[in-house]
Amino acid sequence: YKFKVGLEKSREKFQSEINELMARYRTVDEDFFEALEEVLISADVGFNTVMELTDELRHVAKVNNITDTSELRETIVEKMVEIYERNDNLPETVNIQEEGLTVILVVGVNGVGKTTSIGKLAHKYKQEGKNVMLAAGDTFRAGAINQLKVWGERVDVDVISQAEGSDPAAVMFDAVNAAKKRGTDILICDTAGRLQNKGNLMNELSKMKKVIQKVVPEAPHESLLVLDATTGQNALSQAKSFKDVTDVSGIVLTKLDGTAKGGIVLAIKNELGIPVKFVGLGEQLDDLQEFNAENYVYGLFA
Ligand code: GDP
């Protein structure tokens, strides 16, 4: 249901394009398939998926003697879901430890919705009955620490922080020790996402990780990259840059409710091979959903 509502803009665009296409091409022929390919590619579905889909549609039309394009309408969506389920073997679930501390590192440039997503995540895990703590590792951006504290208050979780400008690795040291001592289940760590200086960012993140690993050797259990879906191809290039500087185990794709190009999720999975683990579908606390390919594709196209 959330997916349906959050993907409304994308679905409207896709459906009106399909309607236009069906009105323009009434007979199933090569011209129709080529026009369909264009619509799907412009929806950011990903080239390989589009080719696989239209090949299978050609086959379905042939063996069933379908000549009227409108009769293929349902099949387009059904096949799309089928292809995603068939090809999608990336882990969608988040690596939460059954016992002991789980550390989640959150990276991303300013403005993508990183702080909001951390707040939503904290809320989600708290509602599941976990003890959650936040670490204010973005000591660089003015206001970042306070913003995180506001979220901490809102969802009623502790925030470990130091003064602005302090060493983020020192904050991590405090946070991971405090989390251990208090028996915290999930520690979510904010970081400064300064892609302008990749060398610095790489050093900063690896230092943070080293400090965390002194206390919890197998941490971080997840490194989530937050991307803004409304920035389209820019989000893709940010993902590539972050992949260069650090390990990314999953993506949080925000503001899907604000774009008609919801197919970007599929493009990210196709091109980067990084699983989208959460999607942001609005500004409220519970507008963060665990990603699910089937719900997603149906929300997008059906
Ligand atoms: P940060 O600089 O990356 O920490 O970004 P913020 O968390 O401050 O978010 C920037 C803006 O995006 C805020 O106005 C948020 O309310 C908004 N935002 C974040 N996630 C979503 C989402 O999934 N949907 C919508 N519509 N807005 C979002």
Side-chain angles (χ1 to χ4, degrees):
Y1 172 71
K2 283 266 179 195
F3 278 87
K4 278 251 159 214
V5 175
L7 289 167
E8 203 171 332
K9 284 188 186 163
S10 298
R11 187 169 58 252
E12 273 171 11
K13 176 170 177 281
F14 179 75
Q15 285 181 342
S16 80
E17 285 178 3
I18 288 286
N19 288 344
E20 254 173 58
L21 187 78
M22 301 251 160
R24 183 136 44 99
Y25 301 90
R26 299 201 176 265
T27 335
V28 176
D29 57 14
E30 250 332 279
D31 287 347
F32 164 72
F33 284 118
E34 274 172 30
L36 176 63
E37 281 166 4
E38 265 172 48
V39 167
L40 293 168
I41 286 169
S42 81
D44 277 332
V45 172
F47 185 79
N48 293 337
T49 308
V50 173
M51 294 305 140
E52 209 171 325
L53 176 71
T54 48
D55 277 351
E56 292 187 20
L57 287 174
R58 283 184 182 94
H59 179 73
V60 169
K62 202 171 162 191
V63 298
N64 297 303
N65 250 330
I66 298 174
T67 53
D68 194 344
T69 54
S70 65
E71 284 177 54
L72 276 180
R73 212 194 152 101
E74 294 282 302
T75 321
I76 294 174
V77 179
E78 281 165 20
K79 282 277 165 207
M80 193 118 62
V81 175
E82 227 181 273
I83 289 173
Y84 269 102
E85 293 191 332
R86 193 190 307 153
N87 295 350
D88 189 18
N89 39 28
L90 297 171
E92 277 168 16
T93 50
V94 186
N95 181 18
I96 301 293
Q97 304 304 107
E98 296 267 329
E99 262 175 56
L101 177 63
T102 297
V103 180
I104 302 175
L105 210 62
V106 183
V107 301
V109 303
N110 291 339
V112 293
K114 186 158 48 93
T115 320
T116 307
S117 299
I118 291 173
K120 288 172 173 174
L121 269 179
H123 176 68
K124 173 191 152 59
Y125 289 125
K126 228 198 138 192
Q127 289 220 310
E128 289 172 12
K130 311 263 193 225
N131 282 315
V132 182
M133 192 186 275
L134 304 181
D138 183 354
T139 58
F140 181 77
R141 179 168 64 106
I145 298 168
N146 269 334
Q147 206 189 335
L148 198 70
K149 283 183 181 166
V150 169
W151 276 105
E153 268 171 37
R154 196 174 298 168
V155 300
D156 192 25
V157 301
D158 288 341
V159 180
I160 303 295
S161 66
Q162 290 184 8
E164 216 169 278
S166 58
D167 181 355
V171 179
M172 290 306 131
F173 184 75
D174 277 359
V176 80
N177 278 308
K180 265 276 181 200
K181 203 184 292 167
R182 297 182 204 174
T184 300
D185 299 310
I186 300 178
L187 175 67
I188 308 174
C189 309
D190 192 11
T191 65
R194 282 173 293 151
L195 260 191
Q196 305 86 304
N197 191 333
K198 274 196 185 179
N200 265 353
L201 182 62
M202 193 188 291
N203 289 339
E204 188 170 301
L205 290 173
S206 77
K207 199 172 153 199
M208 283 165 107
K209 282 188 193 172
K210 266 184 210 145
V211 166
I212 293 170
Q213 282 160 358
K214 275 192 187 143
V215 186
V216 185
E218 65 280 13
H221 302 86
E222 287 280 350
S223 297
L224 298 177
L225 168 62
V226 185
L227 298 173
D228 177 346
T230 64
T231 63
Q233 294 302 312
N234 207 352
L236 264 179
S237 73
Q238 273 172 30
K240 284 180 187 144
S241 299
F242 271 99
K243 238 182 121 176
D244 290 342
V245 297
T246 191
D247 295 329
V248 178
S249 62
I251 284 168
V252 180
L253 193 64
T254 63
K255 310 185 199 180
L256 261 182
D257 53 308
T259 176
K261 299 205 100 193
I264 193 75
V265 174
L266 309 177
I268 287 172
K269 289 170 84 106
N270 277 328
E271 291 190 27
L272 300 172
I274 306 175
V276 174
K277 295 203 171 172
F278 293 99
V279 291
L281 298 166
E283 292 188 272
Q284 303 306 315
L285 265 182
D286 55 2
D287 286 337
L288 188 80
Q289 292 287 308
E290 253 170 80
F291 183 75
N292 170 290
E294 189 177 346
N295 289 348
Y296 179 75
V297 174
Y298 274 112
L300 204 50
F301 302 113

